[in-house]
Amino acid sequence: MNILLLGSGAREHAFAWKISRSKLLTKLFIAPGNAGTIQFGDNIDISLTDFDAIKKVCIKQNIEMVFVGPEDPLVNGIYDFFKNDKKLNKINLIGPSKDAAKLEGSKSYAKAFMQRHNIPTASYKEFDAINYEEGLHYIKEHTLPVVLKADGLTAGKGVLICQNHIEAMAEFELMIQQSKFGAAGKKVVVEEFLNGIELSVFVLTDGKNFVLLPEAKDYKRIGEGDTGLNTGGMGAVSPVPFAHKAFMQKIVEKIIHPTIEGLQKEDLEYKGFIFFGLIKVEDEPMVIEYNCRMGDPESEVVLLRLKNDLVQLFISCSSGELNKEKIDIDERCAATIVAVSGGYPGEYEKGKVIDFGYLENPESVKTIEADGGIMVFHAGTKKEGEEIITNGGRVLAVSALSDTIGEAIELSKNILGQIYFEGMYFRDDIGYEFAD
Ligand code: AMP
Ligand code: GLY
């Protein structure tokens, strides 16, 4: 079948690679894609918010399945757009309906959903311009640190962990009265700070059944030792050693089952991935956030360990038959380290030529099967003539599979040692808690 993959990050390059390995694929198209995705299909330069342009591509290229990488089109209702269009409604679109995508698109919606279904999460209250004064009072009395969250999508910038009341009240004022995050921050969730260690857990669900994918841990801060500003993600590892069998069982019982049952009870159509952003507090898992898509850079490690034919999983997801699928996981460990442009996540320059050293086929994903896989997934890259140049903050996600987390990290670093572009930076300590 012909498949259209939407997105342009390293997550999408990893999905393009994985989909390309399926016997069920005829031809893959990626919109807009990057310099890496070209290796697995045709890039089409359209905007992800232009649903009419996406429709034209689907009709012209005889697309039978669409996989949506990032949250924006999902939160904006691409699933419903396909379902309600006579020319598109036979196409299997992998992703949640617009209503279900609110689990990511609105923090306030997600918190209320968790409360309704007794899913463990931090206690909270929400405020807007109407109960603003009450909000100031609530924050003033709150234990520290206190967490402020803009309700809507803010590309990861809308969560503030405030260490004192003055700062918290000032930020609250900026969000509600000064539109610091635009419409996304007009409503604010104020919640209790949870102290623990985070992990990312993923399922693919057809709305009633689900399959559990390998868990991962990502590293969000720019600096070593988890310091400095938040980024889109500087690296990830899988498995997560502290997520042992009994702990994962708790996650399934206390979080995943009630979430899927909640979707059913509330008639929320969901045929796609759910990403549970979790935190382990003492020995209990709690939900920090839901995402209605896969993680980036988590996908780069999760897909390296997934042995199933992904397109077959997507077909079963669309037909509501995920109960027939059994997940097959590579027991080995995966790591990914992200090379970013100098200055990221602040200002940075684009257009730097990337030198791939001895990786002789630079626009390609490099697979060295003998030592496990080594994959150079592209994120912000672009082809210009014969060169590949940087085109974003996160540029490459260098990923490897090996017997231990430590070895997978070493392999990624060896490859990074071959790559150069002006201003290139990566964290040298990804997986530091787990590397042996
Ligand atoms: P989010 O955008 O919801 O993923 O939040 C970004 C990050 O803020 C999370 O990955 C956590 O590190 C942190 N965070 C969010 N909510 C809390 C909380 N209630 N307690 C502690 N840390 C939090
Ligand atoms: N790595 C976190 C995310 O994809 O949101």
Side-chain angles (χ1 to χ4, degrees):
M1 67 167 64
N2 289 347
I3 300 181
L4 174 63
L5 164 56
L6 299 180
S8 61
R11 167 182 52 206
E12 285 74 23
H13 192 190
F15 270 95
W17 163 73
K18 186 68 184 160
I19 290 171
S20 76
R21 293 165 76 98
S22 170
K23 292 190 193 74
L24 299 161
L25 175 72
T26 311
K27 183 153 186 174
L28 179 63
F29 296 86
I30 309 101
N34 59 35
T37 57
I38 301 168
Q39 196 199 359
F40 302 116
D42 289 357
N43 281 0
I44 304 177
D45 193 15
I46 51 172
S47 154
L48 296 187
T49 46
D50 188 349
F51 292 176
D52 286 323
I54 295 171
K55 174 178 174 175
K56 281 195 191 119
V57 170
C58 287
I59 293 168
K60 182 167 173 218
Q61 305 296 354
N62 236 331
I63 298 294
E64 289 168 85
M65 177 180 283
V66 177
F67 173 67
V68 188
E71 62 276 17
D72 264 344
L74 295 165
V75 171
N76 287 323
I78 196 166
Y79 180 93
D80 307 66
F81 179 83
F82 272 66
K83 193 181 157 190
N84 298 328
D85 187 298
K86 276 197 224 90
K87 289 194 170 145
L88 302 179
N89 63 12
K90 298 271 179 320
I91 298 175
N92 294 324
L93 186 134
I94 304 299
S97 62
K98 185 174 184 172
D99 284 344
K102 278 166 80 178
L103 286 177
E104 173 163 4
S106 164
K107 307 260 185 213
S108 136
Y109 180 88
K111 294 297 283 191
F113 178 91
M114 287 186 258
Q115 247 184 6
R116 285 196 293 279
H117 302 290
N118 289 319
I119 296 163
T121 188
S123 62
Y124 81 107
K125 269 196 175 216
E126 62 186 54
F127 302 97
D128 57 19
I130 295 166
N131 60 353
Y132 175 73
E133 294 298 329
E134 191 191 326
L136 281 178
H137 185 73
Y138 183 76
I139 291 170
K140 211 164 143 189
E141 301 295 314
H142 204 287
T143 49
L144 292 171
V146 55
V147 183
L148 265 51
K149 296 185 171 182
D151 179 49
L153 290 184
T154 57
K157 295 193 173 65
V159 175
L160 303 165
I161 297 170
C162 301
Q163 304 295 339
N164 68 64
H165 293 116
I166 309 247
E167 177 199 354
M169 287 192 288
E171 289 292 349
F172 183 71
E173 202 249 313
L174 281 175
M175 285 201 222
I176 294 187
Q177 310 287 26
Q178 319 282 341
S179 306
K180 178 171 178 180
F181 297 112
K186 285 292 186 187
K187 195 188 271 181
V188 176
V189 166
V190 179
E191 74 176 30
E192 164 202 15
F193 177 82
L194 298 173
N195 207 351
I197 180 158
E198 289 178 55
L199 80 158
S200 307
V201 168
F202 310 94
V203 300
L204 179 66
T205 181
D206 57 22
K208 52 182 194 295
N209 311 292
F210 70 89
V211 288
L212 181 64
L213 299 166
E215 75 288 351
K217 180 167 197 314
D218 81 335
Y219 294 80
K220 288 200 175 84
R221 302 295 194 93
I222 187 73
E224 281 162 20
D226 294 325
T227 54
L229 293 175
N230 255 331
T231 70
M234 297 297 293
V237 298
S238 176
V240 179
F242 68 80
H244 46 73
K245 224 172 162 185
F247 187 66
M248 288 305 289
Q249 197 51 39
K250 268 191 196 173
I251 293 173
V252 170
E253 277 166 25
K254 296 186 177 182
I255 293 169
I256 299 176
H257 276 304
T259 299
I260 309 276
E261 280 159 22
L263 292 173
Q264 277 183 283
K265 280 186 201 148
E266 301 193 18
D267 278 330
L268 293 168
E269 252 179 270
Y270 206 122
K271 291 184 187 296
F273 290 103
I274 310 179
F275 165 165
F276 299 85
L278 305 180
I279 186 161
K280 176 174 173 275
V281 181
E282 276 144 26
D283 214 24
E284 290 301 318
M286 299 183 79
V287 179
I288 293 244
E289 62 165 353
Y290 285 117
N291 293 310
C292 62
R293 53 172 173 86
M294 278 298 287
D296 189 355
E298 289 97 326
S299 296
E300 291 90 297
V301 288
V302 169
L303 293 180
L304 274 186
R305 296 188 61 218
L306 180 69
K307 293 207 221 163
N308 298 62
D309 181 323
L310 185 64
V311 177
Q312 180 56 54
L313 288 180
F314 283 169
I315 290 172
S316 299
C317 176
S318 292
S319 63
E321 294 175 307
L322 273 177
N323 52 322
K324 294 187 179 155
E325 298 291 345
K326 199 171 170 306
I327 288 293
D328 190 7
I329 305 293
D330 195 315
E331 290 301 317
R332 287 177 295 172
C333 300
T336 189
I337 303 177
V338 179
V340 303
S341 299
Y344 173 81
E347 275 181 37
Y348 56 85
E349 288 175 18
K350 294 182 185 177
K352 308 290 180 195
V353 174
I354 306 171
D355 176 352
F356 285 86
Y358 70 55
L359 308 173
E360 77 271 25
N361 191 0
E363 73 264 59
S364 75
V365 168
K366 189 82 182 141
T367 310
I368 304 170
E369 291 292 347
D371 302 343
I374 292 178
M375 321 289 291
V376 180
F377 293 125
H378 291 219
T381 67
K382 190 164 100 175
K383 213 161 179 215
E384 202 170 73
E386 287 309 298
E387 314 258 49
I388 293 184
I389 58 170
T390 64
N391 191 38
R394 290 192 289 174
V395 177
L396 300 166
V398 178
S399 318
L401 194 60
S402 196
D403 288 335
T404 65
I405 291 179
E407 279 175 24
I409 288 162
E410 280 313 305
L411 273 170
S412 300
K413 282 196 207 167
N414 287 345
I415 296 297
L416 276 161
Q418 286 301 313
I419 299 172
Y420 174 80
F421 56 88
E422 195 189 311
M424 170 174 153
Y425 165 77
F426 61 89
R427 265 180 68 170
D428 205 33
D429 69 341
I430 298 302
Y432 65 92
E433 319 95 303
F434 312 127
D436 4 73

